[in-house]
Each structure stands twice: as structure tokens, then as C-alpha cells.
Coordinates of all heavy atoms in Angstrom, one line a residue:
M7 N 108.2 112.1 115.8 CA 107.7 110.8 115.5 C 106.3 110.5 115.8 O 105.9 110.9 116.8 CB 108.8 109.7 116.0 CG 110.1 110.0 115.6 SD 111.2 108.7 116.4 CE 111.0 107.4 115.1
P8 N 105.6 109.7 114.9 CA 104.2 109.4 115.2 C 104.1 108.7 116.6 O 105.0 108.0 117.0 CB 103.8 108.5 114.1 CG 104.8 108.7 113.0 CD 106.0 109.1 113.6
H9 N 102.9 108.7 117.0 CA 102.5 108.0 118.2 C 101.9 106.7 117.8 O 101.2 106.6 116.7 CB 101.5 108.8 119.0 CG 102.2 110.1 119.6 ND1 102.8 111.0 118.8 CD2 102.5 110.5 120.8 CE1 103.3 111.9 119.5 NE2 103.1 111.7 120.8
V10 N 102.0 105.8 118.7 CA 101.4 104.4 118.4 C 100.5 103.9 119.6 O 100.8 104.2 120.7 CB 102.4 103.3 118.0 CG1 103.1 103.7 116.9 CG2 103.4 103.1 119.2
V11 N 99.5 103.1 119.3 CA 98.6 102.5 120.3 C 99.1 101.2 120.6 O 99.3 100.3 119.6 CB 97.2 102.5 119.9 CG1 96.3 102.1 121.0 CG2 96.7 103.9 119.4
T12 N 99.4 100.8 121.8 CA 99.9 99.5 122.1 C 98.8 98.6 122.7 O 97.6 98.9 122.6 CB 101.1 99.7 123.1 OG1 100.5 100.3 124.3 CG2 102.2 100.5 122.4
D13 N 99.3 97.5 123.3 CA 98.3 96.5 123.6 C 97.3 96.8 124.7 O 96.2 96.2 124.8 CB 99.1 95.2 124.0 CG 98.2 93.9 123.9 OD1 97.4 93.8 122.9 OD2 98.3 93.0 124.7
N14 N 97.6 97.7 125.6 CA 96.7 98.0 126.7 C 95.2 98.5 126.1 O 94.3 98.3 127.0 CB 97.2 99.1 127.7 CG 98.2 98.5 128.5 OD1 98.6 97.4 128.4 ND2 98.7 99.3 129.4
C15 N 95.2 99.0 124.9 CA 93.9 99.4 124.4 C 92.9 98.3 124.2 O 91.7 98.5 124.3 CB 94.1 100.2 123.1 SG 92.6 100.8 122.3
R16 N 93.5 97.2 123.9 CA 92.5 96.1 123.5 C 91.6 95.6 124.6 O 92.0 95.4 125.7 CB 93.4 94.8 123.2 CG 92.7 93.6 122.6 CD 93.5 92.4 122.3 NE 92.8 91.4 121.7 CZ 92.3 91.3 120.5 NH1 92.7 92.2 119.7 NH2 91.6 90.2 120.1
G17 N 90.4 95.6 124.3 CA 89.3 95.3 125.4 C 88.9 96.4 126.2 O 88.0 96.3 126.9
C18 N 89.6 97.6 126.1 CA 89.2 98.8 126.8 C 88.5 99.8 125.8 O 87.3 100.1 126.0 CB 90.4 99.5 127.5 SG 91.2 98.6 128.8
R19 N 89.3 100.3 125.0 CA 88.8 101.2 123.9 C 88.0 102.4 124.6 O 86.9 102.6 124.3 CB 88.0 100.5 122.9 CG 88.0 101.2 121.6 CD 87.0 100.5 120.5 NE 85.7 100.7 120.8 CZ 84.7 100.1 120.2 NH1 85.0 99.5 119.1 NH2 83.4 100.3 120.6
Y20 N 88.7 103.1 125.5 CA 88.0 104.2 126.2 C 87.7 105.4 125.3 O 86.8 106.1 125.4 CB 89.0 104.7 127.3 CG 88.8 103.8 128.6 CD1 89.7 102.8 128.9 CD2 87.7 104.1 129.4 CE1 89.5 102.1 130.0 CE2 87.6 103.4 130.6 CZ 88.5 102.3 130.9 OH 88.4 101.6 132.0
T21 N 88.5 105.6 124.2 CA 88.4 106.6 123.2 C 88.6 108.1 123.7 O 88.2 109.0 123.0 CB 87.1 106.5 122.3 OG1 85.9 106.7 123.2 CG2 87.0 105.1 121.7
D22 N 89.0 108.3 124.9 CA 89.4 109.6 125.3 C 90.5 110.2 124.4 O 90.6 111.4 124.1 CB 90.0 109.6 126.8 CG 88.9 109.0 127.8 OD1 88.6 107.9 127.7 OD2 88.7 109.8 128.7
C23 N 91.3 109.3 123.8 CA 92.3 109.7 122.9 C 91.7 110.3 121.6 O 92.2 111.4 121.1 CB 93.2 108.5 122.5 SG 92.2 107.1 121.8
V24 N 90.7 109.8 121.1 CA 89.9 110.2 120.0 C 89.4 111.7 120.2 O 89.6 112.6 119.4 CB 88.8 109.3 119.6 CG1 88.1 109.9 118.4 CG2 89.3 107.9 119.3
A25 N 88.9 111.8 121.3 CA 88.4 113.2 121.7 C 89.4 114.2 121.8 O 89.2 115.5 121.5 CB 87.6 113.1 122.9
S26 N 90.6 113.8 122.0 CA 91.8 114.8 122.2 C 92.5 115.0 120.9 O 93.3 116.0 120.9 CB 92.8 114.3 123.2 OG 93.5 113.2 122.7
C27 N 92.3 114.2 119.9 CA 93.1 114.3 118.6 C 92.6 115.5 117.7 O 91.4 115.5 117.3 CB 93.0 113.0 117.9 SG 94.0 113.0 116.4
P28 N 93.4 116.5 117.3 CA 93.0 117.5 116.5 C 93.0 117.2 114.9 O 92.5 118.0 114.2 CB 94.1 118.6 116.7 CG 95.4 117.9 117.0 CD 94.8 116.6 117.7
V29 N 93.5 116.0 114.6 CA 93.6 115.7 113.1 C 92.8 114.4 112.7 O 93.0 113.9 111.6 CB 95.1 115.6 112.7 CG1 95.7 117.0 112.8 CG2 95.8 114.5 113.5
A30 N 92.1 113.8 113.7 CA 91.3 112.7 113.3 C 92.2 111.5 112.7 O 92.0 110.9 111.6 CB 90.1 112.9 112.4
C31 N 93.2 111.1 113.5 CA 94.1 110.1 113.0 C 93.8 108.8 113.6 O 94.5 107.7 113.3 CB 95.6 110.4 113.2 SG 96.1 110.4 114.8
F32 N 92.8 108.6 114.3 CA 92.5 107.3 114.9 C 91.4 106.5 114.1 O 90.5 107.0 113.4 CB 91.8 107.5 116.3 CG 92.7 108.0 117.3 CD1 93.2 109.2 117.6 CD2 93.4 106.9 118.1 CE1 94.1 109.5 118.6 CE2 94.4 107.3 119.0 CZ 94.7 108.5 119.3
H33 N 91.8 105.2 114.0 CA 91.0 104.3 113.3 C 90.5 103.1 114.3 O 91.4 102.8 115.1 CB 91.8 103.6 112.2 CG 91.9 104.6 111.2 ND1 91.4 104.6 109.9 CD2 92.9 105.7 111.1 CE1 91.9 105.6 109.2 NE2 92.7 106.3 109.9
A34 N 89.3 102.6 114.2 CA 88.9 101.7 115.3 C 88.3 100.4 114.6 O 87.7 100.4 113.6 CB 87.8 102.3 116.2
N35 N 88.5 99.3 115.4 CA 87.7 98.1 115.1 C 86.9 97.8 116.3 O 86.8 98.7 117.2 CB 88.6 96.9 114.7 CG 89.7 96.4 115.7 OD1 89.4 96.9 116.9 ND2 90.6 95.7 115.4
E36 N 86.4 96.6 116.5 CA 85.5 96.4 117.5 C 86.2 96.2 119.0 O 85.5 96.1 120.0 CB 84.6 95.1 117.3 CG 85.4 93.8 117.0 CD 86.1 93.8 115.7 OE1 85.8 94.6 114.8 OE2 86.9 92.8 115.4
V37 N 87.5 96.1 119.1 CA 88.2 95.9 120.3 C 89.2 96.9 120.7 O 89.6 97.0 121.8 CB 88.8 94.4 120.4 CG1 87.8 93.3 120.3 CG2 89.8 94.4 119.3
R38 N 89.6 97.9 119.7 CA 90.6 98.8 120.1 C 90.8 99.8 118.9 O 90.0 99.8 117.9 CB 91.9 98.1 120.2 CG 92.4 97.1 119.0 CD 93.8 96.7 119.1 NE 94.7 97.9 118.8 CZ 95.9 98.1 119.4 NH1 96.4 97.2 120.1 NH2 96.4 99.1 119.1
V39 N 91.7 100.7 119.1 CA 92.0 101.7 118.1 C 93.5 101.7 117.6 O 94.4 101.1 118.3 CB 91.7 103.2 118.6 CG1 90.2 103.3 119.0 CG2 92.7 103.6 119.7
Y40 N 93.7 102.4 116.5 CA 95.1 102.5 115.9 C 95.3 103.9 115.4 O 94.3 104.6 115.2 CB 95.2 101.5 114.7 CG 94.9 100.1 115.0 CD1 93.5 99.6 114.9 CD2 95.8 99.1 115.5 CE1 93.3 98.3 115.2 CE2 95.5 97.8 115.7 CZ 94.3 97.5 115.7 OH 94.0 96.1 115.9
I41 N 96.6 104.3 115.4 CA 96.8 105.6 114.9 C 97.5 105.6 113.6 O 98.4 104.7 113.2 CB 97.9 106.4 115.8 CG1 97.2 106.7 117.1 CG2 98.5 107.7 115.2 CD1 98.0 107.2 118.2
D42 N 96.9 106.4 112.5 CA 97.5 106.5 111.1 C 98.8 107.3 111.3 O 98.7 108.5 111.5 CB 96.6 107.1 110.2 CG 97.0 107.1 108.9 OD1 98.2 106.9 108.7 OD2 96.2 107.3 107.9
P43 N 100.0 106.8 111.0 CA 101.2 107.5 111.1 C 101.3 108.6 110.2 O 102.1 109.6 110.3 CB 102.3 106.5 111.0 CG 101.7 105.3 110.2 CD 100.2 105.3 110.7
A44 N 100.5 108.5 109.1 CA 100.7 109.5 108.0 C 99.9 110.8 108.4 O 100.1 111.8 107.8 CB 100.1 109.0 106.6
L45 N 99.0 110.6 109.4 CA 98.2 111.8 109.8 C 98.6 112.4 111.1 O 98.4 113.5 111.4 CB 96.7 111.4 109.8 CG 96.0 111.0 108.5 CD1 94.6 110.6 108.7 CD2 96.1 112.2 107.5
C46 N 99.2 111.5 112.0 CA 99.6 112.0 113.3 C 100.5 113.1 113.2 O 101.5 113.1 112.5 CB 100.2 110.8 114.1 SG 100.9 111.2 115.7
I47 N 100.3 114.3 113.9 CA 101.1 115.4 114.0 C 102.0 115.5 115.2 O 102.7 116.5 115.4 CB 100.3 116.7 113.8 CG1 99.3 116.9 114.9 CG2 99.6 116.8 112.4 CD1 98.6 118.2 114.9
D48 N 102.0 114.4 115.9 CA 103.0 114.4 117.1 C 102.7 115.4 118.1 O 103.6 115.8 118.9 CB 104.4 114.4 116.7 CG 104.7 113.5 115.6 OD1 104.1 112.5 115.5 OD2 105.7 113.8 114.7
C49 N 101.4 115.7 118.3 CA 101.1 116.7 119.3 C 101.2 116.2 120.7 O 101.4 116.9 121.7 CB 99.7 117.4 119.1 SG 98.3 116.3 119.4
G50 N 101.0 114.9 120.8 CA 101.1 114.3 122.2 C 99.8 114.4 123.0 O 99.8 113.9 124.1
A51 N 98.7 115.0 122.5 CA 97.6 115.3 123.4 C 96.9 113.9 123.8 O 96.2 113.8 124.9 CB 96.5 116.0 122.5
C52 N 97.0 112.9 123.0 CA 96.4 111.6 123.3 C 97.1 110.8 124.4 O 96.4 110.0 125.0 CB 96.4 110.7 122.0 SG 97.9 110.5 121.4
I53 N 98.3 111.1 124.6 CA 99.1 110.3 125.6 C 98.4 110.4 127.0 O 98.1 109.4 127.7 CB 100.5 110.6 125.6 CG1 101.1 110.1 124.3 CG2 101.3 110.0 126.8 CD1 102.7 110.3 124.2
P54 N 98.4 111.7 127.6 CA 97.8 111.7 128.9 C 96.3 111.5 129.0 O 95.7 111.3 130.0 CB 98.1 113.2 129.2 CG 98.2 114.0 128.1 CD 98.9 112.9 127.1
A55 N 95.6 111.5 127.7 CA 94.2 111.4 127.8 C 93.8 109.9 128.0 O 92.8 109.6 128.4 CB 93.6 111.7 126.4
C56 N 94.7 108.9 127.6 CA 94.3 107.5 127.8 C 94.4 107.0 129.3 O 95.4 107.0 129.8 CB 95.3 106.6 126.9 SG 94.9 104.8 127.2
P57 N 93.4 106.4 129.8 CA 93.4 106.0 131.2 C 94.2 104.8 131.4 O 94.4 104.5 132.6 CB 91.8 105.8 131.4 CG 91.1 106.0 130.3 CD 92.1 106.4 129.1
V58 N 94.6 104.0 130.4 CA 95.4 102.8 130.6 C 96.8 102.9 130.0 O 97.4 102.0 129.8 CB 94.7 101.6 130.1 CG1 93.5 101.3 131.0 CG2 94.3 101.7 128.7
Q59 N 97.2 104.2 129.6 CA 98.5 104.5 129.1 C 98.8 103.6 128.0 O 100.0 103.0 127.9 CB 99.5 104.3 130.2 CG 99.3 105.4 131.4 CD 100.5 105.5 132.3 OE1 101.6 105.0 132.2 NE2 100.1 106.0 133.5
A60 N 97.9 103.4 127.0 CA 98.2 102.6 125.9 C 99.0 103.2 124.7 O 99.4 102.6 123.8 CB 96.8 102.2 125.3
I61 N 99.1 104.6 124.8 CA 99.7 105.2 123.7 C 101.1 105.8 124.0 O 101.3 106.3 125.1 CB 98.8 106.5 123.3 CG1 97.4 106.0 122.9 CG2 99.4 107.1 122.0 CD1 96.4 107.1 122.6
V62 N 102.0 105.5 123.1 CA 103.4 105.7 123.3 C 104.0 106.5 122.1 O 103.6 106.1 121.0 CB 104.2 104.4 123.6 CG1 105.7 104.6 123.8 CG2 103.6 103.6 124.7
E63 N 104.8 107.4 122.3 CA 105.5 108.0 121.2 C 106.5 107.0 120.7 O 107.1 106.3 121.4 CB 106.4 109.3 121.8 CG 106.5 110.4 120.9 CD 107.8 110.2 120.0 OE1 108.6 109.3 120.3 OE2 107.8 110.9 119.0
E64 N 106.6 107.0 119.4 CA 107.3 106.0 118.7 C 108.7 105.9 119.2 O 109.3 104.8 119.4 CB 107.3 106.3 117.2 CG 107.7 105.1 116.2 CD 107.7 105.5 114.8 OE1 106.5 105.7 114.4 OE2 108.7 105.4 114.2
F65 N 109.3 106.9 119.5 CA 110.8 107.0 120.0 C 110.9 106.3 121.3 O 112.0 105.9 121.7 CB 111.2 108.5 120.1 CG 112.6 108.7 120.4 CD1 113.6 108.4 119.4 CD2 113.0 109.0 121.7 CE1 115.0 108.5 119.7 CE2 114.3 109.2 122.0 CZ 115.3 109.0 121.0
D66 N 109.7 106.3 122.1 CA 109.8 105.7 123.5 C 109.5 104.3 123.5 O 109.4 103.8 124.7 CB 108.9 106.6 124.4 CG 109.4 108.0 124.6 OD1 110.6 108.2 124.6 OD2 108.5 108.9 124.7
L67 N 109.1 103.7 122.4 CA 108.7 102.2 122.6 C 110.0 101.3 122.9 O 111.0 101.5 122.5 CB 108.3 101.8 121.0 CG 107.0 102.2 120.6 CD1 106.8 101.9 119.1 CD2 105.8 101.6 121.4
A68 N 109.6 100.5 123.8 CA 110.6 99.5 124.3 C 110.9 98.5 123.0 O 110.0 98.4 122.1 CB 110.1 98.6 125.4
P69 N 112.0 97.8 123.1 CA 112.3 96.9 121.9 C 111.3 95.9 121.7 O 111.0 95.7 120.5 CB 113.7 96.2 122.4 CG 114.3 97.2 123.3 CD 113.1 97.9 124.0
E70 N 110.5 95.4 122.7 CA 109.5 94.4 122.5 C 108.2 95.1 122.1 O 107.2 94.3 121.8 CB 109.4 93.6 123.8 CG 108.8 94.4 125.0 CD 109.9 95.0 125.8 OE1 111.1 95.2 125.3 OE2 109.6 95.4 126.9
Q71 N 108.2 96.4 121.9 CA 106.9 97.0 121.5 C 107.1 97.6 120.1 O 106.1 98.1 119.6 CB 106.7 98.3 122.4 CG 106.2 97.8 123.8 CD 106.1 99.2 124.7 OE1 106.9 100.0 124.7 NE2 104.9 99.3 125.3
Q72 N 108.2 97.3 119.5 CA 108.5 97.8 118.1 C 107.5 97.4 117.1 O 107.1 98.1 116.2 CB 109.9 97.5 117.6 CG 110.9 98.1 118.5 CD 111.0 99.7 118.3 OE1 110.9 100.2 117.2 NE2 111.1 100.4 119.5
H73 N 106.9 96.2 117.2 CA 106.1 95.7 116.3 C 104.6 96.5 116.2 O 104.0 96.4 115.2 CB 105.6 94.2 116.5 CG 105.0 94.0 117.9 ND1 105.6 94.1 119.1 CD2 103.7 93.7 118.3 CE1 104.9 94.0 120.1 NE2 103.6 93.7 119.6
W74 N 104.4 97.3 117.2 CA 103.3 98.1 117.2 C 103.3 99.3 116.1 O 102.3 99.8 115.7 CB 102.9 98.7 118.5 CG 102.5 97.7 119.5 CD1 103.0 97.2 120.6 CD2 101.2 97.0 119.4 NE1 102.3 96.1 121.1 CE2 101.1 96.0 120.5 CE3 100.1 97.1 118.6 CZ2 100.0 95.2 120.7 CZ3 99.0 96.4 118.7 CH2 99.0 95.3 119.8
I75 N 104.5 99.6 115.6 CA 104.6 100.6 114.6 C 104.0 100.1 113.3 O 103.1 100.7 112.6 CB 106.1 100.9 114.4 CG1 106.7 101.6 115.6 CG2 106.3 101.8 113.2 CD1 108.2 101.8 115.6
R76 N 104.4 98.8 112.9 CA 103.8 98.2 111.7 C 102.3 98.0 111.9 O 101.4 98.2 110.9 CB 104.6 97.0 111.4 CG 103.9 96.3 110.2 CD 104.8 94.9 110.0 NE 104.9 94.1 111.1 CZ 103.9 93.3 111.6 NH1 102.7 93.2 111.0 NH2 104.1 92.6 112.7
I77 N 101.9 97.5 113.1 CA 100.6 97.1 113.3 C 99.7 98.3 113.1 O 98.6 98.3 112.5 CB 100.4 96.3 114.6 CG1 100.9 95.0 114.6 CG2 98.9 96.3 115.0 CD1 101.1 94.3 115.8
N78 N 100.0 99.4 113.8 CA 99.2 100.6 113.7 C 99.1 101.2 112.3 O 98.0 101.5 111.7 CB 99.8 101.7 114.6 CG 99.3 101.7 116.0 OD1 98.6 102.5 116.5 ND2 99.8 100.7 116.7
A79 N 100.2 101.1 111.5 CA 100.2 101.6 110.1 C 99.3 100.8 109.3 O 98.6 101.3 108.5 CB 101.7 101.6 109.6
E80 N 99.4 99.5 109.4 CA 98.6 98.5 108.6 C 97.2 98.6 108.9 O 96.2 98.7 108.0 CB 99.1 97.1 108.6 CG 100.5 97.0 108.0 CD 101.1 95.6 108.2 OE1 100.3 94.7 108.8 OE2 102.2 95.3 107.6
A81 N 96.8 98.6 110.3 CA 95.5 98.7 110.6 C 94.7 99.9 110.4 O 93.5 99.9 110.1 CB 95.4 98.3 112.2
A82 N 95.5 101.0 110.4 CA 94.8 102.2 110.0 C 94.4 102.3 108.7 O 93.3 103.0 108.4 CB 95.8 103.5 110.3
Q83 N 94.9 101.5 107.8 CA 94.4 101.4 106.3 C 93.2 100.5 106.3 O 92.4 100.6 105.3 CB 95.6 100.9 105.5 CG 96.8 101.7 105.5 CD 96.5 103.2 105.0 OE1 95.9 103.4 104.0 NE2 97.0 104.2 105.8
R84 N 93.1 99.6 107.2 CA 92.0 98.6 107.1 C 90.6 99.0 107.8 O 89.7 98.6 107.4 CB 92.5 97.3 107.8 CG 91.8 96.1 107.5 CD 92.4 94.8 108.2 NE 93.9 94.9 108.1 CZ 94.7 94.5 109.1 NH1 94.1 94.1 110.3 NH2 96.0 94.7 109.1
Y85 N 90.8 99.8 108.9 CA 89.6 100.2 109.6 C 89.2 101.6 109.5 O 90.1 102.4 109.2 CB 89.9 99.8 111.2 CG 90.2 98.4 111.4 CD1 91.4 97.9 111.8 CD2 89.2 97.4 111.2 CE1 91.7 96.5 112.0 CE2 89.5 96.1 111.4 CZ 90.7 95.7 111.8 OH 90.9 94.3 112.0
P86 N 88.0 101.9 109.7 CA 87.5 103.3 109.5 C 87.9 104.2 110.5 O 88.3 104.0 111.7 CB 85.9 103.0 109.5 CG 85.7 101.8 110.3 CD 86.9 100.9 110.0
T87 N 88.0 105.5 110.0 CA 88.3 106.6 110.9 C 87.2 106.7 112.0 O 86.1 106.6 111.8 CB 88.3 107.9 110.2 OG1 89.4 107.8 109.2 CG2 88.7 109.1 111.1
L88 N 87.7 107.0 113.3 CA 86.8 107.3 114.4 C 87.0 108.6 114.8 O 88.1 109.1 115.2 CB 87.1 106.3 115.6 CG 86.2 106.4 116.8 CD1 84.8 106.1 116.4 CD2 86.7 105.6 118.0
R89 N 85.9 109.4 114.6 CA 86.1 110.9 115.0 C 85.5 111.3 116.2 O 85.7 112.3 116.7 CB 85.3 111.6 113.8 CG 86.0 111.5 112.5 CD 85.2 112.2 111.4 NE 85.8 111.9 110.1 CZ 87.0 112.5 109.6 NH1 87.5 113.5 110.2 NH2 87.3 112.1 108.4
N90 N 84.6 110.4 116.8 CA 84.0 110.8 118.0 C 84.1 109.7 119.1 O 84.3 108.5 118.8 CB 82.4 110.9 117.8 CG 82.2 112.0 116.8 OD1 82.6 113.1 117.0 ND2 81.5 111.7 115.7
R91 N 84.0 110.2 120.2 CA 84.2 109.4 121.5 C 83.1 108.3 121.5 O 81.9 108.5 121.2 CB 84.1 110.1 122.7 CG 84.7 109.6 123.9 CD 84.6 110.6 125.1 NE 85.2 110.1 126.2 CZ 85.5 111.0 127.2 NH1 85.3 112.2 127.2 NH2 86.1 110.5 128.3
L92 N 83.4 107.0 122.0 CA 82.4 106.0 122.2 C 82.4 105.6 123.6 O 83.3 105.8 124.4 CB 82.8 104.8 121.4 CG 83.0 104.9 119.8 CD1 83.5 103.7 119.2 CD2 81.7 105.2 119.2
A93 N 81.5 104.9 124.0 CA 81.4 104.3 125.4 C 82.5 103.3 125.4 O 82.8 102.5 124.5 CB 80.1 103.7 125.7
P94 N 83.2 103.2 126.7 CA 84.2 102.1 126.7 C 83.5 100.7 126.7 O 82.4 100.6 126.7 CB 84.6 102.2 128.1 CG 84.4 103.7 128.6 CD 83.1 104.0 127.8
L95 N 84.4 99.8 126.2 CA 83.8 98.4 126.0 C 83.3 97.8 127.3 O 83.9 98.2 128.4 CB 84.9 97.5 125.4 CG 85.3 97.9 124.0 CD1 86.5 97.1 123.5 CD2 84.1 97.8 123.0
D96 N 82.5 96.8 127.3 CA 82.1 96.1 128.5 C 83.4 95.4 129.0 O 84.2 94.9 128.2 CB 81.1 94.9 128.2 CG 79.8 95.6 127.9 OD1 79.5 96.8 128.1 OD2 78.9 94.8 127.3
G97 N 83.6 95.5 130.3 CA 84.9 95.0 130.9 C 86.1 95.8 131.0 O 87.1 95.5 131.5
A98 N 85.9 97.1 130.5 CA 86.9 98.0 130.3 C 87.4 98.4 131.8 O 88.7 98.5 132.0 CB 86.6 99.3 129.6
A99 N 86.5 98.6 132.7 CA 86.9 99.0 134.1 C 87.6 97.9 134.8 O 88.6 98.2 135.4 CB 85.7 99.4 134.8
A100 N 87.2 96.6 134.6 CA 87.9 95.6 135.2 C 89.3 95.4 134.6 O 90.3 95.1 135.3 CB 87.1 94.2 134.9
L101 N 89.4 95.6 133.3 CA 90.8 95.5 132.6 C 91.7 96.7 133.1 O 92.8 96.4 133.4 CB 90.6 95.6 131.1 CG 90.7 94.3 130.3 CD1 90.4 94.7 128.8 CD2 92.1 93.7 130.4
R102 N 91.2 97.8 133.2 CA 91.9 98.9 133.7 C 92.5 98.7 135.1 O 93.7 98.9 135.4 CB 91.0 100.1 133.7 CG 91.7 101.4 134.2 CD 90.8 102.6 134.2 NE 91.3 103.8 134.6 CZ 90.7 104.9 134.7 NH1 89.5 105.0 134.2 NH2 91.3 106.0 135.1
Q103 N 91.6 98.1 135.9 CA 92.1 97.7 137.3 C 93.1 96.6 137.2 O 94.2 96.7 138.0 CB 90.9 97.2 138.1 CG 91.1 97.1 139.6 CD 90.0 96.9 140.4 OE1 88.9 96.3 139.8 NE2 90.1 97.2 141.7
A104 N 92.9 95.7 136.4 CA 94.0 94.5 136.3 C 95.2 95.1 135.8 O 96.3 94.6 136.1 CB 93.4 93.5 135.3
L105 N 95.2 96.1 134.9 CA 96.4 96.7 134.4 C 97.1 97.7 135.4 O 98.3 98.1 135.2 CB 96.2 97.5 133.1 CG 95.8 96.7 131.9 CD1 95.2 97.5 130.7 CD2 97.0 95.9 131.4
G106 N 96.5 98.0 136.5 CA 97.0 98.7 137.5 C 96.8 100.2 137.4 O 97.6 101.0 138.0
Y107 N 95.8 100.7 136.6 CA 95.5 102.1 136.5 C 94.1 102.5 137.0 O 93.3 101.7 137.2 CB 95.5 102.4 135.0 CG 96.8 102.1 134.3 CD1 97.0 101.1 133.3 CD2 97.9 102.9 134.7 CE1 98.2 100.8 132.7 CE2 99.2 102.5 134.1 CZ 99.3 101.5 133.2 OH 100.5 101.3 132.6
Ligands
F3S11 FE1 92.4 102.9 123.7 FE2 93.3 104.5 125.5 FE3 92.3 105.5 123.3 S1 92.2 102.6 125.8 S2 90.8 104.0 122.7 S3 94.2 104.2 123.4 S4 91.9 106.3 125.4

């Protein structure tokens, strides 16, 4: 099943996930990224790459996280493909610490 980016990405956008993806399935806006479920090959490489554990295999989503499936699918159509790593957003380190990672 496809992987999805959940809320921890917002305000961090470390993009280590993008560098690990072999099929360029990530799309980005100014605050976070999303995975296109039509392109994700379920390799799982992005999961350990994310420093704030924002990425979850669809099957492992908690009930309260299910909405991220639709959000990723819709946002991937709206925002451009991100193929290369970017610098983390300002405040990413503080957010990471606040999240406990
Ligand atoms: Fe976001 Fe983690 Fe990727 S913070 S951009 S899902 S490495």
C-alpha cells in the first residue's frame, strides 16, 4: 500500500525523504510534502529517512490519521513534483525537538 506523509512534516520539510525516493513521487508546497499514491512503489525507503517520523505506510495509519490518505492524493495533484533535497525550513530544528526526535 502507498505511503503517506502525516502532520509532523508541516513546518519541518527536511526532504531527506525526497532524496531517498527512487520514483520521484513527492510533491511540495511551502510548508511540507505529500506522496502521490499513484507513483509510490511502496519501497519504504522514505520512512527511516525522515528525522521526524512523518511518513507512515498506509496500512499502519491509526484511525485518527486516515484522512492523510485523501490529503496526500489530492495535494499531490495540486503541487509540483520535488526531485531534489531542499534546506529544512526555518524552525525545523525547534519543531523536531518539540516533537521529541
Ligand atoms: Fe517532511 Fe520528513 Fe520528508 S519532514 S519533507 S516527510 S523527510
Side-chain angles (χ1 to χ4, degrees):
M7 299 178 86
H9 293 58
V10 297
V11 187
T12 62
D13 201 39
N14 282 6
C15 181
R16 184 179 183 83
C18 292
R19 209 184 64 185
Y20 276 99
T21 66
D22 300 64
C23 55
V24 175
S26 75
C27 181
V29 294
C31 69
F32 283 89
H33 295 249
N35 64 14
E36 58 283 351
V37 294
R38 53 164 294 149
V39 303
Y40 304 90
I41 290 174
D42 184 344
L45 295 179
C46 176
I47 58 170
D48 308 332
C49 71
C52 56
I53 290 179
C56 177
V58 292
Q59 298 189 18
I61 303 176
V62 181
E63 209 275 344
E64 196 176 299
F65 186 77
D66 293 329
L67 285 169
E70 66 274 16
Q71 294 178 308
Q72 293 294 316
H73 60 289
W74 287 110
I75 297 172
R76 176 183 52 77
I77 291 172
N78 275 253
E80 291 177 359
Q83 300 302 310
R84 193 176 328 135
Y85 298 113
T87 298
L88 181 64
R89 297 178 186 277
N90 299 303
R91 197 173 186 171
L92 302 172
L95 296 174
D96 289 345
L101 258 177
R102 179 179 180 177
Q103 191 171 23
L105 291 166
Y107 300 112

